[in-house]
Amino acid sequence: MNTHATIAPVAVPPLQVEAFAHVDHWIFDLDNTLYSHESRVWPQVNQRITLFLQELFGLDGLSSHALRGYFYHRYGTTLNGLMEEHQIDPDDFLAFAHDVDLSLLEPNPALGDAIAALPGRKLILTNGSRGHAENVAGKLGILQHFEDIFDIVQAGFCPKPERATYENFLAKHAVDPGRAAMFEDIEKNLIVPSALGMKTVLIIPQTPDPFREAWEQTAIEAGHVHHVTSDLTGFLGPLGRAGK
């Protein structure tokens, strides 16, 4: 991994307020979107998944990592591979993977105020579990601002970026994609939302994340990425004021 990449803050586009004037459905990914990597939440989840494979199959760390890669490329997620090939209980897996220490995750009242000020509905769409999302958003002090959480269980264990996941989410919550905005830290997860008519915002870290490749945390120029920011709170602020 490249741990020495330099990530410059990305300026908010000057026309962002006008671009979001029609939006009244605000959809947020959870991990690495609503919090920064400095809290070390997501690295713990990764470590827990690897440990789950080690304990389940009696593997060493390298073998567990290779197995994760196999499951990811064939089934989209480690969980789907384990369910398909080994019939594991998904609840057991999710509980184990999300049993992480949130002590470094600090409340973010400024983000909470920015989300609360947005006009319309706010929802979380995550490949994680509802319990994990509630724990993280609760620790951040922003859970109360969201109407609901659409997690991997409600998605039938079909993860983003699969189109069916977004379509199921939109149908369940009666969301008009033409009036919605999607905030994500993974560029490929914005392809379908853009195609469906949503405004898209790619969240990149303010400082390099040593647990991710450099290309995963830099600004992307692509038709399905409409805006890029390294400051979610700052990006949302003008949108909330405009809504008022």
Side-chain angles (χ1 to χ4, degrees), residues 45-107:
V45 175
N46 278 333
Q47 291 167 2
R48 296 287 292 174
I49 293 173
T50 300
L51 181 59
F52 186 93
L53 295 177
Q54 288 181 250
E55 295 184 354
L56 182 64
F57 299 112
L59 301 174
D60 58 37
L62 288 176
S63 299
S64 296
H65 182 76
L67 184 59
R68 283 189 64 186
Y70 161 74
F71 284 143
Y72 176 78
H73 290 293
R74 181 163 184 178
Y75 299 103
T77 64
T78 301
L79 175 56
N80 278 358
L82 289 170
M83 291 173 63
E84 180 68 24
E85 295 194 7
H86 301 281
Q87 295 74 53
I88 71 153
D89 184 335
D91 292 333
D92 291 343
F93 174 89
L94 291 171
F96 188 93
H98 293 140
D99 183 14
V100 297
D101 178 12
L102 299 180
S103 61
L104 295 180
L105 186 64
E106 297 182 352

Coordinates of all heavy atoms in Angstrom, one line a residue, residues 45-107:
V45 N -12.9 -3.5 11.3 CA -13.9 -4.4 10.6 C -13.1 -5.3 9.7 O -13.4 -6.5 9.6 CB -14.9 -3.6 9.8 CG1 -15.8 -4.5 9.0 CG2 -15.8 -2.7 10.8
N46 N -12.2 -4.8 8.9 CA -11.4 -5.6 8.0 C -10.6 -6.7 8.8 O -10.6 -7.9 8.4 CB -10.4 -4.7 7.3 CG -11.0 -4.1 6.0 OD1 -11.9 -4.6 5.5 ND2 -10.5 -2.9 5.7
Q47 N -10.0 -6.3 9.9 CA -9.3 -7.3 10.7 C -10.2 -8.3 11.3 O -9.8 -9.5 11.4 CB -8.6 -6.5 11.9 CG -7.4 -5.6 11.4 CD -7.0 -4.7 12.5 OE1 -7.4 -4.7 13.6 NE2 -6.0 -3.8 12.1
R48 N -11.4 -7.9 11.7 CA -12.3 -8.9 12.2 C -12.8 -9.9 11.2 O -13.0 -11.1 11.5 CB -13.6 -8.2 12.8 CG -13.3 -7.3 14.0 CD -13.0 -8.1 15.2 NE -14.1 -8.8 15.8 CZ -14.1 -9.6 16.8 NH1 -12.9 -9.9 17.4 NH2 -15.1 -10.3 17.2
I49 N -13.0 -9.5 9.9 CA -13.4 -10.4 8.9 C -12.2 -11.4 8.6 O -12.5 -12.6 8.5 CB -13.7 -9.6 7.6 CG1 -15.0 -8.8 7.8 CG2 -13.9 -10.6 6.4 CD1 -15.3 -7.8 6.6
T50 N -11.0 -10.9 8.6 CA -9.9 -11.8 8.4 C -9.8 -12.8 9.5 O -9.6 -14.0 9.3 CB -8.6 -11.0 8.3 OG1 -8.7 -10.1 7.2 CG2 -7.4 -11.9 8.1
L51 N -10.0 -12.3 10.7 CA -10.0 -13.2 11.9 C -11.1 -14.3 11.9 O -10.9 -15.4 12.3 CB -10.0 -12.4 13.2 CG -10.0 -13.2 14.5 CD1 -8.7 -13.9 14.6 CD2 -10.1 -12.2 15.7
F52 N -12.2 -13.9 11.4 CA -13.4 -14.8 11.3 C -13.0 -16.0 10.4 O -13.2 -17.1 10.7 CB -14.6 -14.1 10.7 CG -15.8 -14.9 10.7 CD1 -16.7 -14.9 11.7 CD2 -16.2 -15.7 9.6 CE1 -17.9 -15.6 11.7 CE2 -17.3 -16.5 9.6 CZ -18.2 -16.4 10.6
L53 N -12.4 -15.7 9.2 CA -11.9 -16.7 8.3 C -10.8 -17.6 8.9 O -10.8 -18.8 8.7 CB -11.4 -16.1 7.0 CG -12.4 -15.3 6.2 CD1 -11.8 -14.7 4.9 CD2 -13.6 -16.3 5.7
Q54 N -9.9 -17.0 9.6 CA -8.9 -17.7 10.3 C -9.4 -18.7 11.3 O -9.0 -19.9 11.3 CB -7.9 -16.8 11.0 CG -7.0 -16.0 10.2 CD -6.1 -15.1 10.9 OE1 -6.2 -13.8 11.0 NE2 -5.1 -15.7 11.6
E55 N -10.4 -18.3 12.1 CA -11.0 -19.2 13.1 C -11.9 -20.2 12.5 O -11.9 -21.3 13.0 CB -11.7 -18.3 14.1 CG -10.8 -17.4 14.9 CD -11.6 -16.7 16.0 OE1 -12.8 -16.8 16.1 OE2 -10.9 -16.0 16.8
L56 N -12.6 -19.8 11.4 CA -13.5 -20.8 10.8 C -12.8 -21.9 10.1 O -13.2 -23.1 10.2 CB -14.4 -20.0 9.8 CG -15.5 -20.9 9.1 CD1 -16.5 -21.4 10.1 CD2 -16.3 -20.0 8.1
F57 N -11.7 -21.6 9.4 CA -11.0 -22.6 8.6 C -9.7 -23.0 9.1 O -9.0 -23.8 8.5 CB -10.9 -22.1 7.2 CG -12.2 -21.8 6.5 CD1 -12.6 -20.5 6.2 CD2 -13.1 -22.8 6.1 CE1 -13.8 -20.2 5.5 CE2 -14.3 -22.5 5.5 CZ -14.6 -21.2 5.2
G58 N -9.2 -22.4 10.2 CA -7.9 -22.7 10.8 C -6.8 -22.2 9.9 O -5.8 -22.9 9.7
L59 N -6.9 -21.0 9.3 CA -6.0 -20.5 8.3 C -5.0 -19.5 9.0 O -5.3 -18.9 10.1 CB -6.7 -19.8 7.2 CG -7.7 -20.6 6.4 CD1 -8.4 -19.7 5.4 CD2 -6.9 -21.7 5.6
D60 N -3.9 -19.2 8.3 CA -3.0 -18.1 8.8 C -3.5 -16.8 8.1 O -4.4 -16.8 7.3 CB -1.6 -18.4 8.4 CG -1.3 -18.6 6.9 OD1 -2.0 -18.0 6.1 OD2 -0.5 -19.5 6.6
G61 N -2.9 -15.7 8.5 CA -3.3 -14.4 8.0 C -3.3 -14.3 6.5 O -4.2 -13.8 5.9
L62 N -2.2 -14.7 5.9 CA -2.0 -14.6 4.4 C -3.1 -15.4 3.7 O -3.7 -15.0 2.7 CB -0.6 -15.0 4.0 CG 0.5 -14.0 4.4 CD1 1.8 -14.6 4.0 CD2 0.3 -12.7 3.7
S63 N -3.3 -16.6 4.2 CA -4.3 -17.5 3.5 C -5.7 -16.9 3.7 O -6.5 -17.0 2.8 CB -4.3 -18.9 4.1 OG -3.0 -19.5 3.9
S64 N -6.0 -16.3 4.8 CA -7.3 -15.7 5.1 C -7.5 -14.5 4.1 O -8.6 -14.3 3.6 CB -7.4 -15.2 6.5 OG -7.4 -16.3 7.4
H65 N -6.4 -13.7 4.0 CA -6.5 -12.6 3.0 C -6.7 -13.0 1.6 O -7.6 -12.4 0.9 CB -5.2 -11.8 3.1 CG -5.2 -10.6 2.3 ND1 -5.8 -9.4 2.6 CD2 -4.6 -10.3 1.1 CE1 -5.6 -8.5 1.6 NE2 -4.9 -9.0 0.7
A66 N -6.1 -14.1 1.2 CA -6.3 -14.6 -0.2 C -7.7 -15.1 -0.3 O -8.3 -14.9 -1.4 CB -5.3 -15.7 -0.4
L67 N -8.2 -15.8 0.7 CA -9.6 -16.3 0.6 C -10.6 -15.2 0.5 O -11.6 -15.2 -0.2 CB -9.9 -17.2 1.8 CG -11.3 -17.9 1.9 CD1 -11.5 -18.8 0.6 CD2 -11.4 -18.7 3.2
R68 N -10.3 -14.1 1.3 CA -11.2 -12.9 1.2 C -11.2 -12.4 -0.2 O -12.3 -12.0 -0.8 CB -10.7 -11.8 2.1 CG -11.1 -12.0 3.6 CD -10.7 -10.8 4.4 NE -11.5 -9.7 4.0 CZ -11.4 -8.4 4.4 NH1 -10.4 -8.2 5.3 NH2 -12.2 -7.5 4.0
G69 N -10.1 -12.3 -0.9 CA -10.0 -11.8 -2.3 C -10.8 -12.7 -3.2 O -11.5 -12.2 -4.1
Y70 N -10.7 -14.0 -3.0 CA -11.5 -15.0 -3.8 C -13.0 -14.7 -3.7 O -13.7 -14.6 -4.7 CB -11.1 -16.4 -3.4 CG -12.2 -17.4 -3.9 CD1 -12.3 -17.8 -5.2 CD2 -13.0 -18.0 -2.9 CE1 -13.2 -18.7 -5.6 CE2 -14.0 -18.9 -3.3 CZ -14.1 -19.3 -4.7 OH -15.0 -20.2 -5.1
F71 N -13.4 -14.6 -2.4 CA -14.9 -14.4 -2.2 C -15.3 -13.1 -2.8 O -16.4 -13.0 -3.4 CB -15.2 -14.4 -0.7 CG -15.2 -15.8 -0.1 CD1 -14.7 -16.0 1.2 CD2 -15.7 -16.9 -0.8 CE1 -14.7 -17.3 1.8 CE2 -15.7 -18.1 -0.2 CZ -15.3 -18.3 1.1
Y72 N -14.5 -12.0 -2.6 CA -14.8 -10.7 -3.1 C -15.0 -10.7 -4.6 O -16.0 -10.2 -5.1 CB -13.8 -9.7 -2.7 CG -14.0 -8.3 -3.2 CD1 -15.0 -7.5 -2.7 CD2 -13.3 -7.8 -4.3 CE1 -15.2 -6.2 -3.2 CE2 -13.6 -6.6 -4.9 CZ -14.5 -5.8 -4.3 OH -14.7 -4.5 -4.8
H73 N -14.1 -11.3 -5.3 CA -14.1 -11.3 -6.8 C -15.2 -12.2 -7.4 O -15.8 -11.9 -8.4 CB -12.8 -11.6 -7.4 CG -11.7 -10.6 -7.2 ND1 -11.8 -9.3 -7.8 CD2 -10.6 -10.6 -6.4 CE1 -10.8 -8.6 -7.4 NE2 -10.0 -9.3 -6.5
R74 N -15.5 -13.3 -6.7 CA -16.5 -14.2 -7.2 C -17.9 -13.8 -6.7 O -18.9 -14.0 -7.5 CB -16.2 -15.6 -6.8 CG -17.2 -16.6 -7.3 CD -16.7 -18.0 -7.2 NE -17.7 -19.0 -7.9 CZ -17.5 -20.3 -8.0 NH1 -16.4 -20.8 -7.6 NH2 -18.4 -21.0 -8.5
Y75 N -18.1 -13.3 -5.5 CA -19.4 -13.1 -4.9 C -19.7 -11.7 -4.5 O -20.8 -11.4 -4.1 CB -19.6 -14.0 -3.7 CG -19.5 -15.5 -4.0 CD1 -18.3 -16.2 -3.7 CD2 -20.5 -16.2 -4.6 CE1 -18.2 -17.6 -3.9 CE2 -20.4 -17.6 -4.8 CZ -19.3 -18.2 -4.5 OH -19.1 -19.6 -4.8
G76 N -18.8 -10.8 -4.6 CA -19.0 -9.4 -4.3 C -18.7 -9.1 -2.8 O -18.2 -8.0 -2.6
T77 N -18.9 -10.0 -1.9 CA -18.5 -9.8 -0.5 C -18.1 -11.1 0.1 O -18.4 -12.2 -0.4 CB -19.7 -9.3 0.4 OG1 -20.7 -10.3 0.4 CG2 -20.2 -8.0 -0.2
T78 N -17.3 -11.1 1.2 CA -16.9 -12.3 1.9 C -18.1 -13.0 2.4 O -18.2 -14.2 2.4 CB -16.0 -11.9 3.1 OG1 -14.8 -11.2 2.5 CG2 -15.5 -13.1 3.8
L79 N -19.1 -12.2 2.9 CA -20.3 -12.8 3.5 C -21.0 -13.6 2.5 O -21.5 -14.8 2.7 CB -21.2 -11.7 4.1 CG -22.5 -12.2 4.6 CD1 -22.4 -13.3 5.7 CD2 -23.3 -11.0 5.2
N80 N -21.2 -13.1 1.3 CA -21.9 -13.8 0.2 C -21.2 -15.1 -0.1 O -21.9 -16.2 -0.3 CB -22.1 -13.0 -1.0 CG -23.3 -12.0 -0.9 OD1 -24.0 -12.0 0.1 ND2 -23.4 -11.2 -1.9
G81 N -19.9 -15.1 -0.2 CA -19.2 -16.3 -0.5 C -19.3 -17.3 0.6 O -19.5 -18.5 0.3
L82 N -19.3 -16.9 1.8 CA -19.4 -17.9 3.0 C -20.9 -18.4 3.0 O -21.0 -19.6 3.3 CB -19.1 -17.2 4.3 CG -17.7 -16.8 4.5 CD1 -17.5 -15.9 5.7 CD2 -16.8 -18.1 4.7
M83 N -21.8 -17.6 2.7 CA -23.2 -18.1 2.7 C -23.4 -19.1 1.5 O -24.1 -20.1 1.7 CB -24.2 -17.0 2.5 CG -24.3 -16.0 3.7 SD -25.3 -14.6 3.5 CE -26.9 -15.3 3.2
E84 N -22.8 -18.8 0.4 CA -23.0 -19.6 -0.8 C -22.3 -21.0 -0.7 O -22.8 -22.0 -1.0 CB -22.6 -18.9 -2.1 CG -22.7 -19.7 -3.4 CD -24.2 -19.9 -3.7 OE1 -25.0 -19.1 -3.3 OE2 -24.4 -20.9 -4.5
E85 N -21.1 -20.9 -0.3 CA -20.2 -22.1 -0.3 C -20.2 -22.9 1.0 O -19.9 -24.1 1.1 CB -18.8 -21.7 -0.7 CG -18.7 -21.2 -2.1 CD -17.2 -21.2 -2.6 OE1 -16.3 -21.7 -1.8 OE2 -17.0 -20.6 -3.7
H86 N -20.5 -22.2 2.2 CA -20.4 -22.9 3.4 C -21.6 -22.7 4.3 O -21.6 -23.2 5.5 CB -19.1 -22.3 4.2 CG -17.9 -22.5 3.4 ND1 -17.2 -23.7 3.4 CD2 -17.2 -21.7 2.6 CE1 -16.1 -23.6 2.6 NE2 -16.1 -22.4 2.1
Q87 N -22.7 -22.1 3.8 CA -24.0 -22.0 4.5 C -23.8 -21.4 5.9 O -24.5 -21.9 6.9 CB -24.7 -23.4 4.5 CG -25.1 -23.9 3.2 CD -23.9 -24.4 2.4 OE1 -23.1 -25.2 2.8 NE2 -23.7 -23.9 1.1
I88 N -23.0 -20.4 6.1 CA -22.8 -19.9 7.5 C -24.0 -19.0 7.8 O -24.8 -18.5 6.9 CB -21.5 -19.1 7.6 CG1 -21.7 -17.8 6.8 CG2 -20.3 -19.8 7.2 CD1 -20.8 -16.7 7.3
D89 N -24.2 -18.8 9.1 CA -25.3 -17.9 9.5 C -24.8 -16.4 9.4 O -23.9 -16.0 10.0 CB -25.6 -18.1 11.0 CG -26.8 -17.3 11.5 OD1 -27.0 -16.3 11.0 OD2 -27.4 -17.8 12.5
P90 N -25.5 -15.6 8.5 CA -25.0 -14.3 8.3 C -25.1 -13.4 9.5 O -24.2 -12.5 9.7 CB -26.0 -13.7 7.2 CG -27.2 -14.6 7.3 CD -26.7 -16.0 7.7
D91 N -26.0 -13.7 10.4 CA -26.1 -12.9 11.7 C -24.8 -13.1 12.5 O -24.3 -12.1 13.1 CB -27.3 -13.3 12.5 CG -28.6 -12.9 11.8 OD1 -28.6 -11.9 11.0 OD2 -29.6 -13.5 12.0
D92 N -24.3 -14.3 12.5 CA -23.1 -14.6 13.3 C -21.9 -13.8 12.7 O -21.1 -13.3 13.4 CB -22.8 -16.1 13.3 CG -23.8 -16.9 14.1 OD1 -24.5 -16.3 15.0 OD2 -23.9 -18.1 14.0
F93 N -21.8 -13.9 11.4 CA -20.7 -13.2 10.7 C -20.8 -11.7 11.0 O -19.8 -11.0 11.3 CB -20.8 -13.4 9.2 CG -19.8 -12.7 8.4 CD1 -18.5 -13.2 8.2 CD2 -20.1 -11.4 7.9 CE1 -17.6 -12.4 7.4 CE2 -19.1 -10.7 7.1 CZ -17.9 -11.2 6.9
L94 N -22.0 -11.1 10.8 CA -22.1 -9.6 10.9 C -21.8 -9.2 12.4 O -21.2 -8.2 12.6 CB -23.5 -9.2 10.5 CG -23.8 -9.3 9.0 CD1 -25.2 -9.0 8.7 CD2 -22.9 -8.3 8.2
A95 N -22.3 -10.0 13.3 CA -22.0 -9.6 14.7 C -20.6 -9.7 15.0 O -20.0 -8.8 15.8 CB -22.8 -10.6 15.6
F96 N -19.9 -10.7 14.5 CA -18.4 -10.8 14.7 C -17.7 -9.7 14.0 O -16.8 -9.0 14.6 CB -17.9 -12.2 14.2 CG -16.5 -12.5 14.6 CD1 -16.2 -13.2 15.7 CD2 -15.5 -12.1 13.8 CE1 -14.9 -13.5 16.0 CE2 -14.2 -12.3 14.1 CZ -13.9 -13.1 15.2
A97 N -18.0 -9.4 12.8 CA -17.2 -8.4 12.0 C -17.4 -7.0 12.6 O -16.5 -6.2 12.5 CB -17.7 -8.4 10.5
H98 N -18.5 -6.7 13.1 CA -18.8 -5.4 13.6 C -18.6 -5.2 15.1 O -19.0 -4.2 15.7 CB -20.2 -5.0 13.2 CG -20.4 -4.8 11.7 ND1 -21.5 -5.2 11.1 CD2 -19.6 -4.3 10.8 CE1 -21.4 -5.0 9.8 NE2 -20.2 -4.4 9.6
D99 N -18.0 -6.2 15.8 CA -17.7 -6.1 17.2 C -16.4 -5.3 17.3 O -15.3 -5.9 17.5 CB -17.6 -7.5 17.8 CG -17.3 -7.4 19.3 OD1 -17.5 -6.4 19.9 OD2 -16.9 -8.5 19.8
V100 N -16.4 -4.0 17.2 CA -15.2 -3.2 17.1 C -15.3 -2.1 18.2 O -16.3 -1.8 18.8 CB -15.1 -2.5 15.7 CG1 -15.0 -3.5 14.6 CG2 -16.3 -1.6 15.4
D101 N -14.1 -1.6 18.5 CA -13.9 -0.5 19.5 C -14.2 0.8 18.9 O -13.5 1.2 17.9 CB -12.5 -0.6 20.0 CG -12.2 0.4 21.0 OD1 -13.1 1.1 21.5 OD2 -11.0 0.6 21.4
L102 N -15.2 1.6 19.4 CA -15.5 2.9 18.9 C -15.0 4.0 19.7 O -15.4 5.2 19.6 CB -17.0 3.0 18.7 CG -17.7 2.0 17.8 CD1 -19.2 2.3 17.8 CD2 -17.2 2.1 16.4
S103 N -14.0 3.7 20.6 CA -13.5 4.7 21.5 C -12.8 5.9 20.8 O -12.8 7.0 21.4 CB -12.5 4.1 22.5 OG -11.4 3.5 21.9
L104 N -12.3 5.7 19.6 CA -11.6 6.8 18.9 C -12.6 7.6 18.1 O -12.2 8.6 17.4 CB -10.5 6.3 18.1 CG -9.3 5.6 18.8 CD1 -8.2 5.2 17.8 CD2 -8.7 6.6 19.8
L105 N -13.8 7.1 18.0 CA -14.9 7.8 17.2 C -15.5 8.9 18.1 O -16.3 8.5 19.0 CB -15.9 6.8 16.7 CG -16.9 7.3 15.7 CD1 -16.3 7.8 14.4 CD2 -18.0 6.2 15.4
E106 N -15.2 10.1 17.8 CA -15.7 11.2 18.6 C -17.0 11.8 18.1 O -17.3 11.8 16.9 CB -14.7 12.3 18.7 CG -13.4 11.9 19.3 CD -12.4 13.0 19.5 OE1 -12.7 14.1 18.9 OE2 -11.3 12.8 20.1
P107 N -17.9 12.3 19.0 CA -19.1 12.9 18.5 C -18.8 14.1 17.6 O -17.8 14.8 17.7 CB -19.8 13.5 19.8 CG -19.2 12.5 20.9 CD -17.8 12.2 20.5

